[in-house]
Amino acid sequence: LTYCQEEGLFSTQRGSCEPLVLILDRACDPVTPLLTQWTYQAMVHDLLGIRNNRVDLSGKEVVTKVPQDQKQVVLSSQQDEFFKKEMYNNYGDLGIEIKNLVDDFQEASKMNHNIQSIEDMQRFVENYPEFRSKQGNVSKHVTLMTELSRLVEEGQLMTSSELEQEVACNGSLKSSTFWSEVCEVIRDPRVKQDHKVKLAMLYAVRFEKEGETVSRLVSELIDAGVPIIKANLVRGVLDYGGQGKRDDDLFGGSKSFFSRAQTAVKGLKGVDNVYTQHQPMLASITEQLFKGKLKEGDYPFHAQVPQVSSTN
């Protein structure tokens, strides 16, 4: 319908590559959404919440001292150059970049205070709006980073995230290898309920076929104080994206895109980071697509756009 109504959006110049639309079912990879993400934008979404490009820091749960004019801050890649540059950067590198941002501002601040002539004064007045804007921007990102760091530490996110990656990426280990560690995280009162549930859902997807795994996970969650409706999401994720719902085997087998993705990612930047080992199945699918190796039986395609007669 969109093609017929807005044909110009899909027009290509003669001789150029035709665009290709790849349609996937989210159920083919239930693992990726369950993993803790460590990029700036993802952490703000997950830990603080962002709506209409605004982050609300006025709640009682926010412990970091927040300036009065920053109880609500705008976080938009269109208005904030620093955020545009760093939104996909990981947590470790982000801390370094924010320090550099503060250092640059301090340097600029010293220059603005070195007023010795009328020309210096005039230049300061001209640059003052930009200076004030930079000051607010630096303060905003420092505040956000401080609060994110507090939530990571208090919620034991490093521990739970490392375990998530092991469950998702180490296809050779048995469920018993992780069970005690998973239970420790679920029983830890410092870990937020949502992160407990996501870990349990991930474990259930990984070891779906092994005995009473699901029932034991639900019981552990309920015993840890998680509401029944949340605990039952462990069963829900299997109904949505369990082995019977997926065409590809995420954790092994002859059709495992996941295994190929693990091999392909070796040697790439960030692979040594235990918190970002996992590569989404989409990465492997697109790689196979670019190489022309997607099987038509698994990914049928339609090469022609149906002709629709115009009506007056």
Side-chain angles (χ1 to χ4, degrees):
L1 179 62
T2 302
Y3 181 89
C4 296
Q5 292 179 346
E6 301 288 345
E7 187 175 351
L9 292 176
F10 298 90
S11 61
T12 56
Q13 296 180 354
R14 181 172 294 180
S16 64
C17 295
E18 288 291 331
L20 185 147
V21 178
L22 178 65
I23 301 175
L24 298 173
D25 190 335
R26 175 74 272 176
C28 72
D29 177 14
V31 171
T32 301
L34 296 176
L35 297 171
T36 300
Q37 303 299 318
W38 290 98
T39 62
Y40 193 12
Q41 184 187 48
M43 290 180 72
V44 171
H45 271 282
D46 186 25
L47 301 179
L48 297 176
I50 183 169
R51 181 171 296 178
N52 296 327
N53 293 328
R54 289 184 174 272
V55 181
D56 188 355
L57 298 173
S58 62
K60 293 181 180 179
E61 66 277 5
V62 178
V63 177
T64 301
K65 187 177 180 180
V66 180
Q68 193 61 36
D69 62 343
Q70 292 187 356
K71 296 295 184 181
Q72 278 202 355
V73 296
V74 176
L75 205 58
S76 168
S77 59
Q78 295 180 340
Q79 301 175 11
D80 186 333
E81 282 299 319
F82 180 82
F83 183 63
K84 180 180 180 180
K85 179 184 175 185
E86 305 297 338
M87 61 192 296
Y88 301 125
N89 212 346
N90 68 58
Y91 180 60
D93 294 336
L94 179 63
I96 297 172
E97 293 302 325
I98 288 183
K99 181 183 183 303
N100 292 337
L101 182 69
V102 172
D103 291 342
D104 291 344
F105 176 75
Q106 287 179 334
E107 197 64 34
S109 179
K110 290 177 184 178
M111 291 176 61
N112 282 329
H113 283 101
N114 187 25
I115 298 175
Q116 298 180 350
S117 66
I118 296 296
E119 289 77 13
D120 291 339
M121 193 179 302
Q122 183 180 11
R123 186 164 52 250
F124 173 75
V125 171
E126 290 174 352
N127 294 334
Y128 186 72
E130 183 182 357
F131 177 75
R132 287 284 296 172
S133 175
K134 285 183 178 179
Q135 183 182 36
N137 205 43
V138 171
S139 177
K140 174 179 72 177
H141 289 292
V142 169
T143 300
L144 289 172
M145 187 65 177
T146 303
E147 182 62 12
L148 289 174
S149 298
R150 181 188 71 82
L151 292 171
V152 167
E153 183 176 355
E154 292 185 3
Q156 299 296 293
L157 280 182
M158 293 289 193
T159 301
S160 61
S161 178
E162 184 175 357
L163 182 55
E164 289 170 2
Q165 293 288 328
E166 285 296 317
V167 172
C169 299
N170 201 329
S172 62
L173 297 181
K174 297 181 179 179
S175 60
S176 57
T177 308
F178 303 110
W179 176 252
S180 61
E181 294 179 74
V182 169
C183 289
E184 284 180 19
V185 172
I186 291 175
R187 295 166 187 169
D188 191 335
R190 297 170 296 181
V191 179
K192 296 287 184 67
Q193 285 187 359
D194 286 351
H195 290 102
K196 294 179 180 182
V197 173
K198 286 198 296 183
L199 176 60
M201 292 167 72
L202 178 64
Y203 187 90
V205 171
R206 173 71 177 83
F207 300 109
E208 178 181 354
K209 297 293 186 179
E210 299 194 18
E212 300 296 320
T213 298
V214 175
S215 299
R216 293 168 68 193
L217 285 168
V218 172
S219 297
E220 285 287 344
L221 288 169
I222 294 173
D223 290 345
V226 176
I228 295 177
I229 190 170
K230 277 191 175 183
N232 278 329
L233 289 173
V234 175
R235 294 189 173 97
V237 73
L238 296 181
D239 291 338
Y240 175 75
Q243 285 189 8
K245 305 291 185 179
R246 303 192 304 266
D247 293 329
D248 296 305
D249 185 357
L250 285 172
F251 305 103
S254 58
K255 289 171 46 175
S256 176
F257 276 103
F258 181 81
S259 299
R260 289 199 288 271
Q262 273 190 302
T263 303
V265 80
K266 287 183 179 178
L268 296 180
K269 180 182 177 182
V271 122
D272 292 331
N273 188 335
V274 295
Y275 305 105
T276 57
Q277 297 176 62
H278 176 263
Q279 290 291 304
M281 191 177 72
L282 179 60
S284 183
I285 291 177
T286 52
E287 180 184 351
Q288 299 298 313
L289 174 65
F290 293 147
K291 293 179 178 179
K293 294 183 178 180
L294 282 184
K295 294 181 179 179
E296 186 177 345
D298 295 333
Y299 296 90
F301 68 92
H302 186 74
Q304 294 182 336
V305 178
Q307 297 295 323
V308 179
S309 59
S310 59
T311 56
N312 295 325

